[in-house]
Amino acid sequence: MNKALRPAVIAGNWKMNKTPSETVALINEMKPLVADATCDVVLCVPFVDLAPAVQAAAGSNIKIGAQNVHFEKSGAFTGEISADMLKEVGAEYVIIGHSERRTYFGETDVTVNKRTLAALNAGLKVIVCVGEYLEQREQGITRELVSMQTKIALGGVTPEQLKQVIIAYEPVWAIGTGKTATAQQANEVNAAIRGAVAELYGQAAADGLTIQYGGSMNAGNAEELLAQPDVDGGLIGGASLKAKDFSIIVQAASK
Ligand code: PGA
């Protein structure tokens, strides 16, 4: 982290977990545990949990986000949710391009870009996910790949809008597997992403960008990962479903 240059952000990605009533219970449990955070705290919950989550988090330092958004404003897109809908229900953030969406739901760099623009234009903050598969890491193309994913995602994003963007580097082989990138690996790729953003927007804008690491970040390894200068926070899956574990990560980012 380098809090002099950019905010640290710890975001939970609950994935397809927690019903509305379970959501309220978990947020109520988390609120006192993260109240003293000096980083930003975000919980990205399933669509149907958004309204109860916003209500449960009201008056606290926890911000609520969604996990996907459609790129059109409205229309015949059965089963989809627009950015305006998220905004009105009180979501402030949305995760875009998570590897599970890329792998299971046909998400591509092009649709990631369309969703990013739609969300930003509606006034949402975005957490754009990039990351390589194990084969790509073994091929030695990680830095090129994530740089490309980042640049495509940001196509058409204005310098002003970039201030509402967070990039999450999530090596696919580390997600939900218990295999974490080493702190050095995470820092190296995050630095490459910052370099790619600097090519597009200049060094000052890139220095102001929050770049998270995600992939089996937990209460035990968060401090070491967050101690890296280019690791500005975390996108937390499994460990964000347990109030105590999540709060330990938040504390690590509050040092
Ligand atoms: P994990 O998930 O922390 O369970 O590995 C991270 C993510 O997918 O965002």
Side-chain angles (χ1 to χ4, degrees):
M1 296 181 290
N2 185 338
K3 287 187 179 170
L5 289 176
R6 48 198 173 249
V9 183
I10 299 295
N13 173 12
W14 284 7
K15 310 194 179 186
M16 197 175 71
N17 293 292
K18 303 296 171 189
T19 64
S21 60
E22 291 168 347
T23 296
V24 171
L26 184 51
I27 291 178
N28 284 334
E29 198 185 340
M30 282 179 175
K31 275 196 289 192
L33 299 178
V34 302
D36 296 331
T38 59
C39 62
D40 293 348
V41 181
V42 183
L43 294 174
C44 296
V45 304
F47 288 133
V48 296
D49 297 337
L50 284 169
V54 166
Q55 211 175 0
S60 79
N61 58 329
I62 298 176
K63 310 274 191 246
I64 302 301
Q67 300 171 9
N68 188 27
V69 62
H70 194 62
F71 39 80
E72 295 293 343
K73 272 195 94 60
S74 63
F77 302 99
T78 302
E80 294 298 319
I81 300 288
S82 75
D84 289 340
M85 292 171 188
L86 295 181
K87 188 80 184 150
E88 191 170 323
V89 83
E92 293 182 51
Y93 289 78
V94 60
I95 297 172
I96 296 177
H98 189 278
S99 69
E100 284 149 20
R101 298 224 55 93
R102 293 179 191 254
T103 303
Y104 307 133
F105 302 102
E107 187 82 75
T108 66
D109 289 336
V110 172
T111 54
V112 167
N113 174 237
K114 288 166 83 169
R115 289 183 215 282
T116 299
L117 293 173
L120 290 171
N121 289 336
L124 292 163
K125 296 183 175 131
V126 299
I127 301 175
V128 176
C129 302
V130 299
E132 82 287 5
Y133 287 98
L134 185 59
E135 304 77 58
Q136 295 166 328
R137 173 160 286 272
E138 285 167 351
Q139 257 186 293
I141 59 171
T142 298
R143 278 188 266 188
E144 281 165 273
L145 184 91
V146 299
S147 297
M148 189 82 91
Q149 288 174 331
T150 302
K151 287 183 176 178
I152 298 172
L154 294 177
V157 172
T158 66
E160 198 48 38
Q161 286 176 321
L162 186 72
K163 295 176 185 155
Q164 308 302 316
V165 174
I166 294 170
I167 305 285
Y169 165 53
E170 297 207 310
V172 184
W173 48 269
I175 294 177
T177 58
K179 285 185 203 156
T180 319
T182 64
Q184 196 193 343
Q185 281 171 330
N187 194 62
E188 198 176 281
V189 181
N190 279 25
I193 292 168
R194 199 176 308 286
V197 173
E199 284 174 29
L200 297 178
Y201 296 92
Q203 195 60 49
D207 284 342
L209 178 73
T210 295
I211 306 181
Q212 299 171 320
Y213 167 80
S216 300
M217 195 192 263
N218 58 40
N221 61 25
E223 190 165 345
E224 191 190 353
L225 286 158
L226 293 166
Q228 298 294 316
D230 281 297
V231 177
D232 306 315
L235 184 55
I236 323 295
S240 73
L241 295 168
K242 294 186 196 122
K244 185 78 195 146
D245 288 23
F246 186 67
S247 72
I248 291 171
I249 300 171
V250 168
Q251 280 158 24
S254 297
K255 286 189 175 152

